[in-house]
Amino acid sequence: MKALFIGGSGTISAAIVRRLSEELNWEVYILNRGNRDLGDLKNVTQIIADINDEEDVLNKLGDMKFDVVSEFIGFTVDAVERDYRLFKDRTNQYIFISSASAYHKPASDYLITEGTTLANPHWEYSRNKIACEEFLMDKYRNEGFPVTIVRPSHTYDERSIPLGVHGKNGSFQVIKRMLEGKPVIIQGDGTSLWTLTFNKDFAVGFTALMGNPHAYGEAFQITGDETLSWNQIYQTIAEALGVELNAYHISSEYLSAVGDKYGFDFEGSLIGDKAVSVVFDNSKLKRIVPDMKTNIPFSEGVRIALDYVMSHEECQVEDPEFDSWCDRVIIALENAKLSV
């Protein structure tokens, strides 16, 4: 079996590529700009190209055809329209990575299925994903284009720590605040529910959809089974670090209002996503992928991630702007308490 991945080196796709090449013996091609080392993977060929340069891509693909083409870096309708032009006659299945953030906000029910309405007025990213889905499903219904939609929620790997509130440089500054005993901002009261999925677990569900005729014309959410509150998530991180959590709870609406002028899109990432309690009903996926389950719970996954981050300096990207912003916001709220 032969697969092409557009992207192929990100949090989700890297685990899928590794599983295909090392465990399932697929012939894998990765099309990207070559900015990240793929490591020593067997049966993996890298095609270095800008996917937006269609003429160059066509020249480099030659007459190749694929059992599966997977799009991991498509965020707008323009991207999937381009993919349709490039691959409509080159693949038996096209898998588009959408997002669970596309589900209706605010949610009408905490239990999310693939039939939950898609609508997110708070996040342009999510609305663009919805538009991509609509374009692709129209091509399936009217032209038989063999599309499968996959909606991940919060998937993480060893290179980053999943958090609710962080700056533009990722999660390390929050980890640093924890280690220094400084207060760490948690959105809301920390009791909303969230699902975290380690990328190796995600890869089990995804690879079982590849080449599976029961997946054509269908959408699937892929998440683990473990549901935690944000307080539990942050507490688990602190315990793995061996420190006491100094939690500071702030409403998502307030964070959105005071973060906007500094370029922190907390309306999208919080009100449009992480501030909402979600529990995923994955029975549709498990009917055709019975092996899909949580093999790496967060208590284990976070230790894997922390061990990696703390031993790789390139992952320790500090964010003084975000650090200073956290201090100012907390001081402002503490002063407001005194003035009432």
Side-chain angles (χ1 to χ4, degrees), residues 34-287:
N35 294 328
R36 179 176 288 176
D37 182 14
L38 299 179
D40 185 20
L41 294 172
K42 66 177 183 179
N43 300 325
V44 176
T45 300
Q46 187 173 30
I47 302 171
I48 297 178
D50 180 348
I51 187 63
N52 292 306
D53 187 343
E54 295 184 40
E55 183 177 355
D56 184 50
V57 170
L58 288 172
N59 288 335
K60 290 178 177 176
L61 290 178
D63 60 356
M64 283 193 292
K65 294 188 177 182
F66 304 93
D67 295 288
V68 180
V69 170
S70 297
E71 170 61 86
F72 289 88
I73 56 173
F75 303 104
T76 63
V77 173
D78 288 347
V80 292
E81 288 176 341
R82 173 205 64 214
D83 288 355
Y84 175 73
R85 291 191 297 269
L86 286 170
F87 301 111
K88 63 180 179 179
D89 298 318
R90 288 178 177 267
T91 187
N92 296 326
Q93 183 186 24
Y94 174 90
I95 302 181
F96 175 68
I97 305 298
S98 184
S99 171
S101 70
Y103 289 123
H104 194 278
K105 303 293 184 303
S108 59
D109 193 314
Y110 80 98
L111 189 62
I112 304 298
T113 73
E114 288 83 355
T116 298
T117 301
L118 303 181
N120 191 332
H122 300 289
W123 207 358
E124 184 180 13
Y125 163 81
S126 305
R127 294 193 297 274
N128 285 336
K129 287 290 190 179
I130 294 169
C132 290
E133 288 196 29
E134 290 172 345
F135 170 84
L136 292 167
M137 292 306 295
D138 179 73
K139 291 300 181 185
Y140 169 75
R141 288 188 292 266
N142 292 300
E143 300 179 25
F145 185 56
V147 63
T148 298
I149 305 294
V150 170
R151 299 179 188 136
S153 186
H154 200 152
T155 307
Y156 69 104
D157 66 0
E158 71 278 2
R159 293 175 291 188
S160 65
I161 314 300
L163 295 164
V165 180
H166 59 78
K168 301 172 187 176
N169 292 344
S171 60
F172 180 72
Q173 191 66 47
V174 180
I175 301 306
K176 189 170 185 289
R177 290 180 69 90
M178 286 188 179
L179 291 170
E180 294 172 349
K182 298 179 73 173
V184 173
I185 295 173
I186 301 176
Q187 73 274 12
D189 63 2
T191 61
S192 60
L193 301 177
W194 197 243
T195 300
L196 297 168
T197 308
F198 200 76
N199 66 344
K200 290 182 179 179
D201 286 343
F202 184 95
V204 173
F206 188 95
T207 54
L209 296 177
M210 296 178 66
N212 189 329
H214 297 293
Y216 301 171
E218 297 288 343
F220 297 88
Q221 53 198 26
I222 302 180
T223 75
D225 300 315
E226 184 181 36
T227 300
L228 301 167
S229 72
W230 280 104
N231 285 333
Q232 289 175 310
I233 291 169
Y234 277 77
Q235 184 61 47
T236 302
I237 296 170
E239 290 174 357
L241 288 169
V243 300
E244 184 175 345
L245 176 64
N246 185 1
Y248 197 93
H249 295 95
I250 304 177
S251 78
S252 297
E253 289 79 6
Y254 185 88
L255 290 171
S256 175
V258 299
D260 186 61
K261 65 180 179 179
Y262 292 97
F264 304 139
D265 181 18
F266 292 132
E267 180 182 356
S269 65
L270 294 182
I271 300 173
D273 196 26
K274 298 178 183 66
V276 181
S277 281
V278 291
V279 177
F280 293 96
D281 178 353
N282 291 316
S283 56
K284 179 179 179 179
L285 176 70
K286 291 184 177 183
R287 281 196 294 271

